[in-house]
Amino acid sequence: MDFLRSGAATFVAARAAADAGDARRAAMLYASLAAADPGDRSMARRALSQAIVGGDMPLALRLIGQQPAAGLPVEAQLLRISQYLQTRSSAKTEYPQQIAFMAPLVGAWILAERRRWKEAVRLLDGVAADAPLAGLVPEQKALILLAAGRSSEAQPFIQPALAAARGRSNRLRIAFATGLAAAGEREAGLTLLTGRDSTLRAAASTLAAERRPRPLIATATQGYSELLTALAVSLDGEEGRSLALSLAQVARYADPRSEQAALLTALLLDRSWRGADALSILRSIPDSSPFAGEMRDAEMRVLLGADRQEEALARARAFVASNDKQAGDWLRLGDVLDAMGRHGEAAAAYDSAVSALQSGGAGPELWSVHLLRGAALEQAGMWPQAESALELAYRLAPENPTVLNYLGYARLERGQKLDEAEALIAEASRRAPDDASITDSLGWAQYKRGKLSQAILTLQRAAAADPAQAEINEHLGDALYAAGRKYEARFAWNAALVTAEDDVATRIAAKIAGGLSPATAAP
């Protein structure tokens, strides 16, 4: 009876730790339950899954050794392969049915590591076009061939691999560029790193300075880590987030030097309400890394998401102080200040980012920074200066839908240059017909210009595309009420009230209660 009571308390504590995001503690508690009752496989499985999610691979591997291989969850099976590649403790590894699709790609890396690259490529050639990992075959061929020094054979696979890279484009560009340089084609490698992107610029600088570059991904464990990272990226949705985090943790275990795996793990930890663990990983990346800028961006998101604004501001200022020539650091500072409601200071930071870019620094297109500066100035109540910044963004990017919409809508709200405002928004909508926010702007412009029937149709289209956006539903309700369709208007306002906040929610509630009036009309 005492064991049952203590076991129940331990189980409750384990569940609470897991719910709180403390996966390591949950794993240890579940493991103690599994040790006390070896016949209860469910506790062992819980312990194993939590250990992998928490990155406690020594515990996870110990638990794997205590369980039948056939009953292991997918993430544990993948961890076993990683251990095999690191230790080669047995003649071969096993691929249960759940992960059989991994066999040819892992096998190709094992062959490549033994300098049997021709056999490795042939093995990849055998992957069916409809296989789960078929989309990764071009990048795997390119990486294996570059590791073997066969740059000419690798070249045809590089662009198809980059086209399918999703969020790993920078990582693959750097890996391909380094591989080309290691094979004696430094200029070809540097060509892959051209552009304004700060990560690629940093990588190009490092590569140009290296006397004897070596391939970034050249071993079976490194290749396997890249495979798992790609899988984790593809699974990063609400339903697959837990498995994605497990795969990212195994990828880090397979290749502890992979900054891409570290960044992905940190982002997934933060989305799993484990911001402290995410920050620990992010801050372990050295400032000399090409991915330092991406790590800093991620750190700001974690801190702001946790409402640690003052800490975010201190870190952003420290980044600027370390090198005030980096546009990215000024942009991060501006974003933090803007999030804190200090819009005038944010605009000044964005202005410094403009100066850094005009001096030849890496970073986004200049128009986008002028747009940010204009938006901050508008929020600060400095409309004449904001309009100048927005007009400059428009001159630099006259076909960009975001710029067209923002400038047009800002003028519409102020009742200025209404013909031009509507024309700008209409052009934005033509260029981005599926953007619900831009469609809403067009409908609101039509409403402001007295085109009521047309406005209702446009706003209904916007609401159908994004039914959760409060601003769209409020606009639709106002237009319907003005057309005498009061029941439908209240239905739209009630939909808006579901996601509306603060003063907007108060205004909508007043309309639901008393109808539309000049005092309750949307701006």
Side-chain angles (χ1 to χ4, degrees):
M1 185 65 68
D2 288 341
F3 167 74
L4 290 176
R5 276 204 286 284
S6 64
T10 302
F11 179 76
V12 170
R15 284 288 302 270
D19 291 342
D22 192 349
R24 291 188 179 222
R25 174 170 167 74
M28 289 187 289
L29 291 171
Y30 282 132
S32 69
L33 291 172
D37 185 5
D40 189 349
R41 295 276 176 81
S42 66
M43 290 301 107
R45 286 178 64 90
R46 286 174 182 263
L48 179 53
S49 293
Q50 288 296 314
I52 294 174
V53 165
D56 191 344
M57 298 313 177
L59 174 59
L61 290 168
R62 188 168 76 248
L63 291 167
I64 285 174
Q66 297 169 1
Q67 299 181 50
L72 292 173
V74 169
E75 60 268 32
Q77 294 169 359
L78 295 172
L79 179 58
R80 286 181 73 239
I81 294 176
S82 180
Q83 184 189 34
Y84 162 74
L85 293 175
Q86 290 183 7
T87 64
R88 305 298 168 92
S89 56
S90 59
K92 64 177 183 178
T93 190
E94 298 176 358
Y95 300 91
Q97 185 176 359
Q98 289 174 295
I99 60 167
F101 62 90
M102 297 286 293
L105 287 90
V106 177
W109 274 107
I110 293 172
L111 288 168
E113 200 169 62
R114 295 170 181 167
R115 300 186 178 182
R116 294 161 60 183
W117 62 269
K118 289 184 179 179
E119 294 174 64
V121 172
R122 281 199 294 270
L123 187 58
L124 292 174
D125 285 337
V127 175
D130 59 350
L133 298 183
L136 299 179
V137 168
E139 78 174 56
Q140 296 296 299
K141 285 182 179 179
L143 291 169
I144 284 173
L145 289 165
L146 288 171
R150 314 294 299 187
S151 58
S152 59
E153 287 97 326
Q155 289 271 18
F157 301 109
I158 289 177
Q159 289 305 323
L162 292 175
R166 297 183 63 184
R168 297 180 305 120
S169 176
N170 279 354
R171 163 75 170 176
L172 286 182
R173 281 184 180 277
I174 295 170
F176 293 151
T178 308
L180 288 168
E185 297 189 45
R186 191 184 300 263
E187 290 304 315
L190 290 172
T191 299
L192 289 176
L193 305 178
T194 56
R196 303 186 62 91
D197 186 275
S198 57
T199 300
L200 298 183
R201 286 266 192 105
S205 179
T206 299
L207 185 59
E210 284 186 338
R211 292 182 59 192
R212 300 179 65 182
R214 292 185 297 176
L216 188 64
I217 302 172
T219 68
T221 52
Q222 291 167 345
Y224 183 59
S225 175
E226 201 62 30
L227 280 172
L228 293 177
T229 302
L231 271 176
V233 169
S234 69
L235 288 171
D236 182 20
E238 289 296 331
E239 294 182 0
R241 185 163 294 164
S242 178
L243 180 57
L245 176 55
S246 295
L247 295 184
Q249 291 281 30
V250 176
R252 286 182 67 220
Y253 173 75
D255 182 9
R257 297 188 308 162
S258 173
E259 291 159 350
Q260 180 79 70
L263 176 59
L264 177 61
T265 302
L267 292 174
L268 291 171
L269 284 168
D270 181 52
R271 294 173 196 172
S272 301
W273 308 105
R274 292 172 58 189
D277 292 336
L279 289 173
S280 178
I281 292 175
L282 292 170
R283 291 173 179 175
S284 70
I285 304 300
D287 288 338
S288 59
S289 166
F291 290 93
E294 294 183 37
M295 298 296 178
R296 291 176 178 183
D297 287 339
E299 182 179 348
M300 294 301 102
R301 286 196 295 272
V302 172
L303 291 172
L304 291 174
D307 202 25
R308 294 162 64 176
Q309 295 181 336
E310 291 298 335
E311 186 178 351
L313 180 58
R315 291 287 288 173
R317 282 179 168 158
F319 295 148
V320 167
S322 67
N323 186 350
D324 64 2
K325 302 300 182 186
Q326 290 289 337
D329 289 332
W330 283 112
L331 287 169
R332 274 182 283 278
L333 177 58
D335 291 345
V336 172
L337 288 165
D338 201 51
M340 296 175 72
R342 296 162 65 168
H343 305 297
E345 294 173 76
Y350 293 139
D351 194 41
S352 294
V354 168
S355 297
L357 289 172
Q358 289 175 332
S359 299
E365 295 291 336
L366 199 54
W367 67 263
S368 66
V369 186
H370 284 299
L371 179 62
L372 288 172
R373 181 169 171 269
L377 288 165
E378 183 193 19
Q379 289 293 306
M382 304 167 67
W383 172 242
Q385 298 93 323
E387 186 175 28
S388 296
L390 295 173
E391 286 176 342
L392 183 52
Y394 174 56
R395 286 198 295 273
L396 292 171
E399 298 179 353
N400 184 276
T402 303
V403 174
L404 290 163
N405 182 62
Y406 198 104
L407 177 57
Y409 195 80
R411 285 177 173 162
L412 181 70
E413 282 188 311
R414 288 162 178 81
Q416 297 177 356
K417 304 177 182 178
L418 292 180
D419 288 340
E420 182 180 332
E422 184 178 357
L424 287 168
I425 296 170
E427 179 62 14
S429 182
R430 188 184 72 80
R431 293 183 177 277
D434 297 326
D435 188 310
S437 293
I438 293 178
T439 304
D440 170 60
S441 295
L442 178 60
W444 198 235
Q446 293 164 344
Y447 172 76
K448 291 276 192 176
R449 306 303 307 282
K451 304 172 183 178
L452 199 53
S453 298
Q454 192 176 355
I456 290 172
L457 292 174
T458 304
L459 291 167
Q460 286 174 332
R461 184 158 51 90
D466 189 356
Q469 191 175 143
E471 184 177 27
I472 295 176
N473 284 301
E474 184 186 10
H475 285 166
L476 176 58
D478 285 15
L480 289 166
Y481 194 94
R485 297 160 63 175
K486 298 181 179 181
Y487 176 81
E488 294 172 85
R490 285 188 168 85
F491 183 87
W493 287 332
N494 274 294
L497 197 57
V498 173
T499 55
E501 298 178 353
D502 303 326
D503 292 344
V504 176
T506 301
R507 183 176 68 230
I508 293 171
K511 280 191 278 203
I512 293 171
L516 182 65
S517 70
T520 60

